[in-house]
Amino acid sequence: MKTVVAGLSNGKHFGVSLAKKSGTGKLKYIFRKFPDGELHIKFGSQVKGRHVVLVQSLFPNPNDALVELFLAARTARGMGAKRVSAITPYLCYMRQDKVFSFGESFSAKEIAWLLSKCVDGLFAFEPHLHRIRSLSEIFSVEAKNLSARSAISDFVLKKFSRDNTVIVGPDRESSQWAKKIADAVGFDSTVLEKTRFGDRKVRVKVTTELDWKNKDVIIIDDIVSTGGTVVQAAKEIRKRKPRAVYCICVHPLLVEGALEKIMKAGVKEFFSCNTIEHKSNCIDLSGVVAKELK
Ligand code: R5P
């Protein structure tokens, strides 16, 4: 079965790189928005009997991005595609991973239900699995969590030296990246304690001290959204007089001027994976997906 890749509106950058790395054909895809906000999608070539791989990061504009993916998947199926897979490098709504208070939607589950209805399989990077332990708990089709850890480890090893670098996870949940990456590359690490008071307000405390003096410190987290977590972590770390503070994240949402706030808090450089297109993208994850398509 021949595989063809289509990069949807938020997936063009990743799709181009994926098609190159996997040696698959590119599917011509045309998208536009009507003046009233409705979406129009169209495939420019035949998909009958093919494995159609739709690449769509579900940020920015997660709601539009979801509808676009839904329309593209249903259209490919309607045109006779043999298999339709979604690559959602960033899978949205995953932080709403339980009913936190009465009457609330369990959005992660509902979005997984919708996607399971229109694709045969899905791949996502580091989809914020905290209270939900596996995508199979919420998806009824094959859904795979891909890891960014080895690509980040390679980047860290190229750019930083083991002798004078330490890695920090800004909260307990981040230890699945920060601690594991630090262990993989043999760097010292610590995980901070975070208390959240609202969408934009957090307090971060250092509970286990490291030898910070003259060290490069890398904060590693999965998502950077408002930047509040990284800003508070950077401020706490800088009180300990390291040489410089850096940040690496998997998903650079960076809303409400987050990057500017992070730089103002004294972070020297900010690096991200290309799950969401952004000027800070330095770590290409398309090779991880290419291996899965082989
Ligand atoms: C939370 O569990 C995540 O891992 C991130 O730490 C969080 O989403 C970051 O959000 P913000 O940048 O708004 O502090």
Side-chain angles (χ1 to χ4, degrees):
M1 178 175 32
K2 190 170 175 209
T3 300
V4 280
V5 173
L8 309 195
S9 301
N10 288 348
K12 285 192 208 102
H13 68 298
F14 202 98
V16 167
S17 184
L18 174 62
K20 247 190 232 154
K21 291 211 164 123
S22 58
T24 52
K26 273 191 286 177
L27 175 60
K28 191 163 179 219
Y29 172 79
I30 304 131
F31 166 86
R32 76 182 179 99
K33 210 173 206 180
F34 288 106
D36 60 5
E38 290 179 5
L39 312 180
H40 177 259
I41 75 105
K42 184 178 162 76
F43 291 112
S45 43
Q46 195 48 263
V47 300
K48 198 162 184 207
R50 305 250 161 107
H51 175 199
V52 175
V53 176
L54 303 170
V55 185
Q56 174 76 317
S57 195
L58 298 175
F59 185 88
N61 307 314
N63 304 318
D64 273 7
L66 272 168
V67 174
E68 185 187 348
L69 176 57
F70 168 77
L71 291 174
R74 297 278 306 164
T75 305
R77 268 194 180 162
M79 289 171 72
K82 197 153 186 194
R83 182 174 172 85
V84 179
S85 299
I87 314 291
T88 53
Y90 175 72
L91 180 58
C92 61
Y93 282 97
M94 289 298 291
R95 284 175 291 176
Q96 296 180 42
D97 56 358
K98 74 170 203 174
V99 176
F100 291 92
S101 65
F102 173 80
E104 232 178 34
S105 145
F106 182 174
S107 304
K109 190 180 88 182
E110 304 311 342
I111 297 300
W113 175 86
L114 177 73
L115 290 171
S116 297
K117 291 279 168 221
C118 56
V119 297
D120 301 299
L122 175 138
F123 296 95
F125 280 97
E126 310 291 6
H128 204 80
L129 294 174
H130 292 167
R131 281 158 284 256
I132 298 164
R133 274 161 313 167
S134 154
L135 289 178
S136 61
E137 284 179 31
I138 52 172
F139 278 84
S140 58
V141 292
E142 190 191 338
K144 193 161 176 187
N145 165 14
L146 301 177
S147 175
R149 281 202 296 257
S150 125
I152 297 177
S153 301
D154 291 347
F155 177 78
V156 166
L157 279 175
K158 259 189 221 141
K159 189 141 180 91
F160 297 92
S161 120
R162 187 171 294 133
D163 301 333
N164 57 5
T165 310
V166 296
I167 291 181
V168 170
D171 54 25
R172 199 162 37 88
E173 290 152 340
S174 68
S175 85
Q176 55 184 305
W177 301 281
K179 168 117 182 46
K180 288 201 172 159
I181 289 167
D183 291 350
V185 296
F187 287 24
D188 274 352
S189 69
T190 190
V191 169
L192 313 186
E193 193 182 286
K194 177 169 93 180
T195 314
R196 187 169 277 289
F197 301 101
D199 291 345
R200 294 171 182 79
K201 198 159 186 252
V202 296
R203 190 183 57 217
V204 175
K205 271 197 334 202
V206 176
T207 51
T208 308
E209 295 289 349
L210 293 176
D211 178 14
W212 308 94
K213 280 261 162 67
N214 298 319
K215 293 275 167 71
D216 285 334
V217 180
I218 319 172
I219 300 170
I220 302 186
D221 205 357
D222 60 341
I223 299 173
V224 177
S225 179
T226 65
T229 301
V230 173
V231 165
Q232 294 311 318
K235 283 186 178 166
E236 275 309 299
I237 293 164
R238 287 190 70 229
K239 287 180 190 163
R240 288 154 174 84
K241 309 275 181 237
R243 182 161 73 177
V245 179
Y246 298 84
C247 179
I248 300 177
C249 78
V250 182
H251 305 298
L253 268 60
L254 297 168
V255 302
E256 303 174 352
L259 188 57
E260 290 67 30
K261 290 177 198 158
I262 288 169
M263 301 322 264
K264 219 171 135 200
V267 171
K268 191 169 173 192
E269 276 183 275
F270 184 92
F271 310 107
S272 64
C273 300
N274 61 345
T275 61
I276 293 164
E277 192 172 16
H278 188 264
K279 61 182 179 191
S280 62
N281 291 168
C282 294
I283 304 166
D284 178 15
L285 298 179
S286 62
V288 181
V289 181
K291 276 189 201 143
E292 296 288 334
L293 295 183
K294 290 224 159 104

